[in-house]
Structure formats: structure tokens, C-alpha cells
Amino acid sequence: EDQVTQSPEALRLQEGESSSLNCSYTVSGLRGLFWYRQDPGKGPEFLFTLYSAGEEKEKERLKATLTKKESFLHITAPKPEDSATYLCAVQAAEDSTLTFGKGTMLLVSP
Amino acid sequence: DAGITQSPRHKVTETGTPVTLRCHQTENHRYMYWYRQDPGHGLRLIHYSYGVKDTDKGEVSDGYSVSRSKTEDFLLTLESATSSQTSVYFCAISQNYNEQFFGPGTRLTVL
């Protein structure tokens, strides 16, 4: 059974204070690992897909990295508008469905 | 935003009544999914579709049924709503069973 564990559950940062969110996973043959951002009362918004260990993707202040056991979402010099819940999901090979973690709630204070 | 709408956006109903939620897409994507999101559980897959009239069960399918008679519409039915089905329901679509794009959600309360 595919499993995704995200840590920490919640993270509070000061504006400009860089940090990382962790997504540990077990899956029978990884097809892809996905990061989403979710604002309160809204649907998840797609951020990145990573396919193989060593791959990195960047978008503004966010950078996602992937190893064979985990993924990190690095947030550099965050701003209050980066406050959201960040979700990680994995897709197994030959599978059209995703397994989601419970998310990390990020709060960035000015 | 991907062209996905969900209706209704909010619904309050009583235990034992049937409820149907609708997901409509304008992207012509092949795959459609229904999730529920609850505190402490995250997003859990209820049912999904890989084509017109082709559907399959997800992790938490008991008490739910789905239908897809057209590419653009995916219906989720709670045959007899229970309080445990109070949740926020999200529809998602995918073209090549890679990244999924989510709708705005339906908040359902079963009294």
C-alpha cells in the first residue's frame, strides 16, 4: 500500500526565514511525485511534478527536490502570501490515481 | 484555472436523503476523480473515471456511486446520506493520468 507522510504538520515562519517541508513516501515503483498548494476554502493548486531521484523544479520562492525516499519543498525568503497548506502526493507506476499526504500548514508572519 | 466547476458549492441535507454532486469540465480531459477532504485525513479518493461509462472505486467508496455519461460530466451520488459523509468534496481532472487539476469544492453538511 502506498503511503505518504508529511512533516511538520504545521510550520510558522517569519517573513524572509527560509525553511523546508518534508514528504516521505513508500510506493511500489514511483511514476511521479506531486506538490500542491491549497488556500483555505479552495481546491488544491498544482505546483510541481517530479519523476526521478535527483530531479529539481523551481517556481518563484519554491524549489522541490526528490530522492528515492523523500521529497523536500524548499521555501526561500517566504512572504505572507506563501501561507497555505502544502500537499504532497505520489503516483505508482501503472496507476492513474494519487495517494496524498495530510499536508503541512505553513504560516508566514510579516 | 482549468475549466472545472462543481455544483452545488454548498449543501445542507438530512440523514437518509439522496444527494447528487456534479462536476463539469470544459477541458476534454479523459480522467475525472472524486475526493473527500476531512480534518486529520487529508484527501481521499472516492471513485474515478477513465472514460465515458468507465469508472472504478477508490479508497473510500462505500455509500457512494458515480456516473459518467458524457466526457464533461461526472456525477457523485450519496444514495442515503449519513452524518459521516459530512465533508468537503473535490472533483479533479487529468489528461494523461499525470498531474490532476482540482475544482473549487462542494461543502456538504448532513444533519
Side-chain angles (χ1 to χ4, degrees):
Chain A
E1 182 180 328
D2 303 337
Q3 289 192 327
V4 179
T5 303
Q6 292 187 246
S7 61
E9 290 184 12
L11 181 62
R12 194 164 196 153
L13 299 174
Q14 290 295 120
E15 184 172 3
E17 179 187 3
S18 301
S19 188
S20 297
L21 312 183
N22 179 262
C23 172
S24 297
Y25 65 91
T26 56
V27 64
S28 53
L30 181 70
R31 178 182 175 85
L33 184 141
F34 304 84
W35 282 99
Y36 287 83
R37 169 195 171 122
Q38 186 174 24
D39 293 303
K42 297 194 174 182
E45 175 190 347
F46 170 73
L47 292 173
F48 304 110
T49 308
L50 301 168
Y51 293 104
S52 56
E55 189 176 1
E56 299 183 354
K57 294 250 178 102
E58 285 190 66
K59 181 179 180 179
E60 297 180 357
R61 294 175 292 282
L62 302 177
K63 183 169 81 172
T65 62
L66 180 65
T67 73
K68 290 186 177 180
K69 294 183 178 180
E70 58 192 349
S71 176
F72 292 93
L73 186 64
H74 306 278
I75 303 175
T76 302
K79 298 182 177 182
E81 53 262 42
D82 294 321
S83 297
T85 295
Y86 290 85
L87 303 173
C88 172
V90 296
Q91 183 180 37
E94 309 301 323
D95 194 349
S96 60
T97 66
L98 303 183
T99 299
F100 280 84
K102 295 179 182 179
T104 293
M105 185 183 301
L106 175 66
L107 178 62
V108 182
S109 302
Chain B
D1 291 345
I4 312 169
T5 56
Q6 293 185 232
S7 59
R9 294 293 314 279
H10 302 271
K11 185 170 182 68
V12 179
T13 191
E14 295 189 350
T15 298
T17 60
V19 176
T20 295
L21 308 182
R22 181 186 184 227
C23 177
H24 178 78
Q25 60 147 328
T26 58
E27 305 294 325
N28 201 34
H29 282 7
R30 177 183 175 188
Y31 297 88
M32 298 186 76
Y33 307 82
W34 276 109
Y35 292 88
R36 60 178 291 174
Q37 188 173 42
D38 305 287
H41 289 279
L43 279 163
R44 292 181 292 174
L45 183 65
I46 305 171
H47 281 280
Y48 65 102
S49 169
Y50 45 94
V52 173
K53 297 187 179 178
D54 292 325
T55 64
D56 206 348
K57 296 179 179 180
E59 177 189 356
V60 290
S61 60
D62 287 349
Y64 301 95
S65 62
V66 290
S67 67
R68 190 171 179 198
S69 59
K70 298 186 289 185
T71 298
E72 57 266 36
D73 289 325
F74 193 31
L75 303 180
L76 177 71
T77 297
L78 289 63
E79 292 134 14
S80 177
T82 68
S83 59
S84 64
Q85 294 176 311
T86 292
S87 186
V88 180
Y89 291 85
F90 288 102
C91 173
I93 64 174
S94 176
Q95 179 62 300
N96 296 317
Y97 65 89
N98 288 327
E99 55 267 11
Q100 296 179 13
F101 300 95
F102 284 79
T106 294
R107 183 172 294 275
L108 176 68
T109 302
V110 183
L111 301 176

